[in-house]
Amino acid sequence: RDKQPRIREHAVRLSESFLARNVRGGSPRPPKFKLPKALVRLAKDSDARVLFRLALTASQIPMPDSLGVLTALAQRGVENPWQSSAILSSVGSLQGESWPFLKRLLKRELRWLSAPTIAQDDFLEKVGELVGGRHSDADLAEATALLRRSSEQPESLMVLAGLADGLARGKRNSLVPENLNSTKAEDLRRLLDEQAEKAAAWAASPQAPLLVRLAAVRVLAHAPVNQTRTPLLGLLTSAQAPEVQASALRALLEHDDT
């Protein structure tokens, strides 16, 4: 509550040791332990450094306040790359909370799937990758259902590409449980297959935003090769943006490796 932002910033940093000892560390929680609520209120702070420090600390705040703080920070701060990275870091460190976070964020900001900024697009994709990397059947089922409802919006490809990237990364990671053949993972694969034709059209469209085109190429990388090789090869021409050409080449190489 201090008027000086650097003091507020330092107070957030100091709070981490109290949170670890009183909330996460197994010690009994004092009856009047009000620190988490004080940190929740700081999500409305006007100072960028205070908000950045809060984003890094948020994963230590007890649930569900932690998700509330991170959602509020995301709504305000993803245009700032440092703030965005700090939020993603905390979301990633919250075991099993990446999908609840994304679900809460999209409930408040559904327009991010229809008219997002470049930074919002990029943020959704990265959170989607965290969700896919978790390999949770329940999370994949809910995420797939949401994406089916939004499948006419090209921006939904950002989340779909992130989910697919995360799922594929989990397949190569021996630390992830081997449940790739689960029904829910197959549902996501079917959605990828269904979206392949639309993704090919969006990837080739010079009118589509570059990030959407790149996400569409990554969707093609995860769809069956017999559906996607021809459109991917068509993206290698000099008429296409260099970023699209490079992404298409990587997708083709990934197909060759599988």
Side-chain angles (χ1 to χ4, degrees):
R1 296 181 181 181
D2 196 277
K3 293 181 179 180
Q4 295 296 323
R6 297 293 71 77
I7 293 179
R8 297 198 301 275
E9 177 191 3
H10 191 58
V12 174
R13 187 189 298 270
L14 288 175
S15 74
E16 294 175 3
S17 59
F18 290 97
L19 288 169
R21 183 167 65 249
N22 292 297
V23 180
R24 304 271 190 206
S27 301
R29 182 171 174 172
K32 295 185 178 180
F33 186 61
K34 298 180 179 180
L35 180 56
K37 294 299 182 184
L39 292 172
V40 170
R41 289 193 292 270
L42 276 179
K44 298 180 181 179
D45 203 277
S46 59
D47 186 80
R49 283 174 56 177
V50 172
L51 295 174
F52 175 72
R53 188 68 244 173
L54 180 62
L56 293 174
T57 303
S59 62
Q60 300 183 49
I61 299 173
M63 296 292 292
D65 288 337
S66 181
L67 281 186
V69 168
L70 288 166
T71 304
L73 291 173
Q75 288 179 270
R76 297 181 58 196
V78 296
E79 302 297 330
N80 181 316
W82 290 98
Q83 182 76 351
S84 180
S85 295
I87 296 168
L88 289 167
S89 174
S90 282
V91 172
S93 67
L94 287 172
Q95 188 68 24
E97 298 299 333
S98 50
W99 170 243
F101 166 77
L102 181 57
K103 183 166 58 173
R104 178 184 289 220
L105 178 61
L106 290 177
K107 185 176 181 180
R108 295 185 184 182
E109 299 288 354
L110 190 57
R111 62 184 176 82
W112 284 25
L113 285 179
S114 58
T117 65
I118 292 175
Q120 291 163 358
D121 253 345
D122 185 56
F123 186 82
L124 288 179
E125 179 189 347
K126 289 174 179 174
V127 180
E129 190 170 340
L130 291 175
V131 176
R134 275 269 305 146
H135 260 223
S136 161
D137 268 4
D139 291 355
L140 286 175
E142 289 191 33
T144 302
L146 182 146
L147 289 172
R148 283 189 187 281
R149 295 194 297 271
S150 309
S151 61
E152 296 302 317
Q153 299 167 341
E155 288 79 9
S156 67
L157 285 178
M158 305 301 294
V159 181
L160 181 58
L163 279 172
D165 285 346
L167 192 63
R169 182 171 293 110
K171 182 179 179 181
R172 296 190 293 268
N173 187 343
S174 61
L175 298 178
V176 176
E178 287 297 328
N179 61 354
L180 266 179
N181 294 321
S182 70
T183 301
K184 306 311 177 187
E186 289 300 327
D187 286 346
L188 179 58
R189 285 199 187 90
R190 280 194 292 272
L191 179 59
L192 284 165
D193 296 350
E194 294 164 11
Q195 289 291 91
E197 185 175 347
K198 292 178 183 177
W202 283 324
S205 171
Q207 284 76 40
L210 180 59
L211 281 179
V212 170
R213 298 184 69 188
L214 295 178
V217 173
R218 285 200 304 287
V219 168
L220 294 176
H222 296 288
V225 64
N226 63 323
Q227 291 180 257
T228 59
R229 177 174 284 279
T230 298
L232 285 171
L233 287 171
L235 296 174
L236 298 180
T237 66
S238 58
Q240 301 294 339
E243 298 90 341
V244 173
Q245 294 179 53
S247 186
L249 181 58
R250 283 194 296 271
L252 286 165
L253 291 173
E254 286 178 27
H255 275 314
D256 289 342
D257 286 342
T258 55

